[in-house]
Amino acid sequence: MNVWQVVGYKHTGKTTLVEKWVAAAVREGWRVGTVKHHGHGGEPARPEGVDSVRHERAGAVATAVEGDGLLQLHLRRPLWRLDDVLALYAPLRLDLVLVEGYKKALHPKVVLVRSEEDWASLQHLANIRAVIAWEPLSRPLPHPLFSLADEAAYIPWLMNEVRRGT
């Protein structure tokens, strides 16, 4: 499974980048999956009162809702590692999985930074393949560096990297 990560601090554009990358891959006919790490504490929002939440509150550790071809699956366990989630994706035969977050995982990464300070605290991450910055960074990087405004450069570059399977 070809897995790439998009990491950075809150409000750096991770979700927007994932959306654009997914759209580019889908235009080429790829089957794409995404995983988002909800790193802000607590559970991701789910509407109270819906049947699947009621089932969970009653004690179910797995709930699913299907309708019109959409399956929403909720599984509860004490901790979900990224590898656990990717194992669930394995039977789906996806061409690409984009992971938003899970900074410490070892998959190829694109790091989004707003400033030199962001980069200084994230440059130690493993397997960085590119950096996308909100403002110019003064020091040379050992990775390709793109301006956030230069989508016409970084989206094709990312697609080429994924095609190469690096």
Side-chain angles (χ1 to χ4, degrees), residues 1 3 34-37 73 75-92 94 97 99 102 105-107:
M1 190 174 338
V3 178
T34 65
V35 178
K36 171 151 176 60
H37 184 236
L73 179 64
L75 303 171
R76 179 168 300 281
R77 63 191 277 185
L79 173 68
W80 283 96
R81 296 172 309 129
L82 179 55
D83 288 344
D84 299 330
V85 178
L86 294 175
L88 292 172
Y89 279 39
L92 302 177
L94 300 170
V97 176
V99 176
Y102 290 96
L106 301 177
H107 300 284

Side-chain angles (χ1 to χ4, degrees), residues 125-143:
L125 296 175
N127 213 0
I128 296 172
R129 300 297 177 88
V131 176
I132 300 174
W134 283 58
E135 60 186 47
L137 301 180
S138 61
R139 60 188 122 153
L141 302 181
H143 319 286

